[in-house]
Amino acid sequence: MKPTALFSLTALALSFSVAAQAAPHTLINCISNSPAQFSPAIINDANDFNASSQQVYDSLLAFKPGSTEIEPGLAERWEISEDGLSYTFYLRKGVKFHANKEFSPSRDFNADDVLFSYLRQADKDHPFHNVSNGTYFYFNWMALPKLLKSVEKVDDYTVKINLNKAYSPFLKIVAMDFLSIYSQEYADKMLVAGKAEAIDKTPIGTGPFVFQAYQLDQAIRYSANADYWRGKAAIDRLIFSITPDATARYAKLQTGACDVIDFPNIADIEEMKNNPKVRLFAKEGLNLAYIGINHRKAPLDNVKVRQALNYATDKQSIINVVYQGGSGVAAKNPFPPSVLGYNDTIEDYPFDLDKAKQLLVEAGYSDGFETEIWVQPVVRPSNPNPRRTAEILQADWAKIGIKAKLVTHEWADFNKRTREGEFFTGTYGWTSRNGDPDNFLSPLLGCENVGGTNYAGWCNAEFENLLQQAVATADDTQRAVLYRQALLIAKEQAPLIPLAHSINYVPTSLRVQNFRQSPFGYTAFYGVSLAD
């Protein structure tokens, strides 16, 4: 059995190489990890969104390629009530769903599909709410259980969404991947057949590419949707080749076995810039690498201790070592300068061990204390080397008497234990999926996300009040003022340590044309063409 398995893997690798060289309209995207699911409602990782929503699905609204601006999607246009509580979406007609061996649609996309996609997440009594364990990360992280009042079908091509309060970034939420539109007809058929989870494992959408097959830990295959409402993609076939090793991905890019690769080694970036076989795309990421501090664990609940940790963190060393100097910039706000409300007047905590020691004495910890630094077991867009980051922190903090043990867990367990408040401090990251300041501050520091993405467990009434005022106004100038005030509170209270904003890199072969790099760290291939 083992020789046969080895032969099949070798044959598959050879077939990829041949496909890349022999088929000018087949694009091979070499990725680092297998997707956990192909269902944008229940996932939370860019790798999974790339394999599902970015290729297979559409949302009511979309982000313009390479931008954080919204544009029409499955909704041609929309209207907002004067009080900001109701949004009416007018749906596009003639949009076709995909088909597979178990399902052929009998009708076009309509309002029933919108209601299914939203209410599956919103309504705990919905027949699909608990399918595939019913974990709706982004739906909860965006506080939609409290924000959404109702989703109504006005007619077959009109949907009205009512909110419990005015929320100015709502249209950007509508454009996010987790609100991709599923086929209710497909879901109903799979439910009757006793295979409800098929909608999360074998996706059917309206997007530019049709899901064909997934070979576990090997490859995902797609074909162009000939009936796509924007027009057929220039690529006929799309293959995601799962290649865990970054060095191997780069080697395959140079030999033509890959057209696009993800997560390049930071140490290879300079060489890629000068490699005549590589086109390197670079974009400032909408991300934050940070050190989470659990306020529910003493002495981390003491503001002077948290400030001491900030003073004892040598960010520039981390930038030089982990980000190789040019692949990241030190962070002083929880979001990068390109985001509305960035407060450039804030002076970052300098690396000052004497000041850190003084604060520990004032807090009653003149001899320091013992703690843990939890280390992410995977590379994320915001941090190319969490382990090295933690080692630098460990050495710095030891200089002021803080003895930190490095702890790690398998990725799913790491996330679960973190949300449950088990950690002390740790390496974490966040990437905004819509570019709005609220998409940083509410998930990371908002009271409603304590126990979720607000790992710190920090809830400050004055800070929260400013966030709520900001989302209640549609005036960006007023919103920016409120966010700058909120950031001053976060700086003083030090609920976390902002470390860095990374540069996102996407290396491609020269035959890849018209690629638009996403600010959200996604790789969408509609609009891309291939030179012969």
Side-chain angles (χ1 to χ4, degrees), residues 219-438:
I220 314 163
R221 297 176 181 272
Y222 311 83
S223 63
N225 177 8
D227 297 320
Y228 189 45
W229 57 271
R230 293 184 189 267
K232 181 179 174 295
I235 300 167
D236 292 322
R237 291 170 295 279
L238 177 62
I239 298 173
F240 280 27
S241 174
I242 299 159
T243 311
D245 184 72
T247 301
R249 291 196 298 277
Y250 184 29
K252 290 170 76 172
L253 179 68
Q254 295 180 86
T255 62
C258 298
D259 294 301
V260 180
I261 64 173
D262 68 3
F263 295 124
N265 281 324
I266 296 301
D268 292 332
I269 294 300
E270 285 304 312
E271 180 186 332
M272 289 181 178
K273 290 178 180 178
N274 299 304
N275 189 329
K277 295 182 179 180
V278 174
R279 182 178 289 115
L280 183 65
F281 291 84
K283 200 178 193 76
E284 293 182 359
L286 289 169
N287 60 46
L288 172 71
Y290 68 97
I291 301 304
I293 302 174
N294 191 346
H295 295 224
R296 292 156 290 195
K297 301 274 192 182
L300 303 173
D301 56 344
N302 187 312
V303 65
K304 290 188 176 182
V305 170
R306 299 195 299 271
Q307 290 172 345
L309 293 178
N310 273 268
Y311 279 114
T313 298
D314 189 352
K315 293 183 185 179
Q316 195 54 52
S317 289
I318 292 171
I319 295 297
N320 293 341
V321 175
V322 175
Y323 295 85
Q324 304 284 300
S327 296
V329 295
K332 64 179 183 179
N333 285 196
F335 51 72
S338 61
V339 175
L340 177 75
Y342 184 83
N343 194 334
D344 202 29
T345 66
I346 285 178
E347 292 185 11
D348 197 10
Y349 288 92
F351 181 52
D352 188 336
L353 294 177
D354 289 336
K355 180 65 174 177
K357 290 177 183 177
Q358 176 191 334
L359 286 166
L360 286 184
V361 170
E362 293 175 8
Y365 295 93
S366 56
D367 295 328
F369 56 88
E370 294 184 2
T371 190
E372 296 176 350
I373 301 174
W374 283 33
V375 185
Q376 286 176 308
V378 297
V379 171
R380 311 309 299 146
S382 57
N383 190 334
N385 195 333
R387 167 64 60 171
R388 192 71 187 96
T389 299
E391 290 170 349
I392 294 171
L393 282 176
Q394 184 185 44
D396 287 341
W397 292 358
K399 296 171 185 175
I400 62 170
I402 297 176
K403 299 176 182 178
K405 177 184 177 182
L406 302 189
V407 175
T408 193
H409 300 281
E410 183 273 329
W411 184 224
D413 198 33
F414 180 92
N415 287 327
K416 180 177 181 291
R417 291 182 179 213
T418 293
R419 286 193 296 271
E420 292 173 351
E422 187 177 328
F423 82 109
F424 288 80
T425 71
T427 61
Y428 296 97
W430 179 261
T431 296
S432 170
R433 303 303 182 195
N434 67 24
D436 192 87
D438 190 64

Side-chain angles (χ1 to χ4, degrees), residues 61-104:
L61 303 180
F63 291 103
K64 294 179 180 178
S67 169
T68 60
E69 294 181 45
I70 58 171
E71 65 179 3
L74 291 177
E76 292 183 308
R77 59 187 178 89
W78 58 91
E79 296 173 353
I80 307 173
S81 64
E82 287 189 15
D83 60 8
L85 295 178
S86 295
Y87 291 72
T88 303
F89 295 93
Y90 299 92
L91 308 183
R92 196 175 299 277
K93 297 179 180 178
V95 176
K96 311 294 183 185
F97 276 103
H98 306 159
N100 60 25
K101 62 181 181 181
E102 292 190 285
F103 172 72
S104 293

